[in-house]
Amino acid sequence: MGAALSPEAANPGSARPWAEVTDPELIVANLHRNYTGVSTTIGALLPLQAARHRLWLMGRPLPGGPSAHSLAAALAVSRRPPAGRPFRIWHVRRNVELQVAWLARDLLRLPIRIVFTSVALHTHSFWPRFLIARADAVIATSMRAASLRPNVAGIVPHGVDTGYFHPPADRGQEWAQARLPGRYGIGIFGRVRRGKGTDLFVEALLRLLPRYPDFTAVIIGPCKIRNRSFQATLIKRIAAANLSDRIRFLGEIEWAEVAAWYRRLSIVVAAARYEPFGVTILEAMASGAAVVATRTGNYEAMIEEGQNGFLAKPGNIEELVASLERVMSQPQRMQAMGVAGRQRATAMFGVETEAEGISKVYETLWQGGGR
């Protein structure tokens, strides 16, 4: 969701005792100054990876994570191979991290190998393509992403912590704690902007809420300055329809509250026009909510249409409205979809599966595979 978070509020594993590592075989990069979706992925994986590998987190600290080491410290420790391994692995997920790792390996001649996780579903411009081609191994998060990248060593979808994100004992009671109208909540998570389909979500609910008085909609996520006029226009439209009490912009919330909102909502929507992967739908499924998403990212792999949710064409408001109405019009089916989503998330998209898949790529490199 983006924000500076307190370690205690941001992650239930903040009290985890982390072993001190002086000779890491794995260095996980987190050089972005903001807390982003990539940060969430790294944070969820770190405890599982630390159980498998001697690791360092390099760059910005993460809530509940181990002590973070500086880039300078990572360069210094990487001047020699780690005990028992022919080289250290640097796992990077952003272009700037990939560039730093490439310079460390090829300019400074450090004995490291580079693993890059790629989620993008488009062809990159020249410089990112140049860098990605120089990774020793690329992990793609979907079949489509894999088809666009060289050096793909494995297809490992992102996973979700199904212990942290879990269904409530009573969703009705959870919703009541929100002190909002109606019996059911429907929400969208992420930055308020056109690319995320915030306007499509609002337009769909402007059409549907008058017909379904038991529902109230919430929009959870920050709005950057450049999108303030976009949000203001949506707020005016909502007010003109006399629905200001039933379509609420909640803004950015603390990470500890994100899981609570998933437990309150009966339906979670991802209306993006383009999405590289889409972890919010997995978090919603793990929390037992029915889901409606567009056919972008990895949503088609996550959603078994008619079982745990529905899909709509990106940017198509008519399909989005129809998909939402198929859920909203049948509360019992909506609840059954939430149960099916939880089962699917647990069986197919647990973060443990992601950690295992990544470790297999590491071991292949250490055993002599890769570029």
Side-chain angles (χ1 to χ4, degrees):
M1 305 291 299
L5 307 172
S6 67
E8 294 77 13
N11 192 312
S14 59
R16 173 185 299 275
W18 289 91
E20 289 296 325
V21 174
T22 58
D23 186 28
E25 61 188 17
L26 169 64
I27 293 177
V28 178
N30 182 45
L31 296 179
H32 200 288
R33 62 186 180 87
N34 293 330
Y35 191 92
T36 66
V38 174
S39 311
T40 301
T41 295
I42 297 171
L45 284 167
L46 281 176
L48 298 171
Q49 292 189 293
R52 298 167 181 262
H53 308 288
R54 306 189 311 271
L55 69 76
W56 272 13
L57 175 66
M58 176 184 72
R60 297 279 178 165
L62 289 172
S67 298
H69 297 264
S70 68
L71 172 59
L75 291 171
V77 80
S78 296
R79 287 181 297 181
R80 64 187 187 283
R85 298 292 194 185
F87 47 77
R88 297 178 205 278
I89 288 177
W90 284 31
H91 192 160
V92 299
R93 292 174 168 85
R94 304 174 175 99
N95 290 342
V96 65
E97 297 165 353
L98 180 55
Q99 180 171 301
V100 168
W102 168 60
L103 291 172
R105 186 194 64 193
D106 291 7
L107 182 63
L108 300 181
R109 301 293 183 180
L110 299 184
I112 66 173
R113 296 294 183 270
I114 303 167
V115 173
F116 177 69
T117 292
S118 178
V119 299
L121 302 181
H122 60 271
T123 301
H124 287 292
S125 57
F126 168 76
W127 187 241
R129 287 204 314 273
F130 173 87
L131 291 173
I132 293 170
R134 277 145 187 82
D136 295 284
V138 173
I139 296 174
T141 57
S142 67
M143 291 287 290
R144 186 176 173 191
S147 71
L148 299 171
R149 305 288 170 261
N151 306 333
V152 173
I155 299 173
V156 184
H158 287 320
V160 60
D161 186 337
T162 56
Y164 184 50
F165 294 98
H166 61 84
D170 187 318
R171 197 171 298 272
Q173 288 184 4
E174 292 281 343
W175 176 249
Q177 292 180 14
R179 298 182 179 179
L180 292 174
R183 299 174 58 196
Y184 309 114
I186 178 170
I188 186 170
F189 292 78
R191 289 189 179 92
V192 176
R193 58 188 176 94
R194 187 177 183 278
K196 287 292 185 182
T198 315
D199 55 325
L200 298 171
F201 178 78
V202 169
E203 174 62 28
L205 273 299
L206 288 175
R207 299 187 190 186
L208 290 168
L209 289 184
R211 301 205 294 271
Y212 297 97
D214 284 340
F215 284 85
T216 290
V218 295
I219 299 153
I220 299 172
C223 182
K224 292 191 173 182
I225 293 175
R226 64 176 177 267
N227 292 311
R228 296 282 172 81
S229 61
F230 172 77
Q231 178 175 274
T233 299
L234 296 179
I235 291 173
K236 287 180 181 178
R237 291 205 62 208
I238 294 166
N242 294 318
L243 287 171
S244 297
D245 61 331
R246 294 180 59 208
I247 304 179
R248 303 286 188 90
F249 284 84
L250 302 186
E252 192 166 24
I253 62 176
E254 291 288 341
W255 178 248
E257 279 295 300
V258 172
W261 273 102
Y262 279 119
R263 290 192 294 271
R264 290 169 186 153
L265 298 174
S266 296
I267 306 172
V268 172
V269 180
R273 291 174 168 87
Y274 168 80
E275 183 71 58
F277 188 83
V279 174
T280 58
I281 286 297
L282 289 183
E283 293 168 347
M285 289 165 55
S287 303
V291 292
V292 173
T294 48
R295 296 181 185 276
T296 183
N298 204 42
Y299 294 142
E300 289 180 272
M302 300 172 192
I303 297 175
E304 188 176 10
E305 196 148 21
Q307 297 301 310
N308 65 308
F310 290 102
L311 293 156
K313 183 178 179 181
N316 190 315
I317 186 62
E318 301 301 333
E319 284 193 17
L320 182 62
V321 169
S323 295
L324 280 168
E325 188 160 29
R326 292 173 76 181
V327 185
M328 296 170 69
S329 63
Q330 303 177 73
Q332 289 186 334
R333 186 182 191 187
M334 176 178 69
Q335 294 166 9
M337 283 183 164
V339 173
R342 169 68 184 183
Q343 293 171 344
R344 188 170 177 83
T346 302
M348 298 177 62
F349 295 101
V351 70
E352 297 85 358
T353 303
E354 182 181 8
E356 182 178 355
I358 292 172
S359 285
K360 287 180 179 178
V361 173
Y362 296 160
E363 293 296 341
T364 298
L365 271 182
W366 277 318
Q367 296 302 319
R371 185 171 64 89

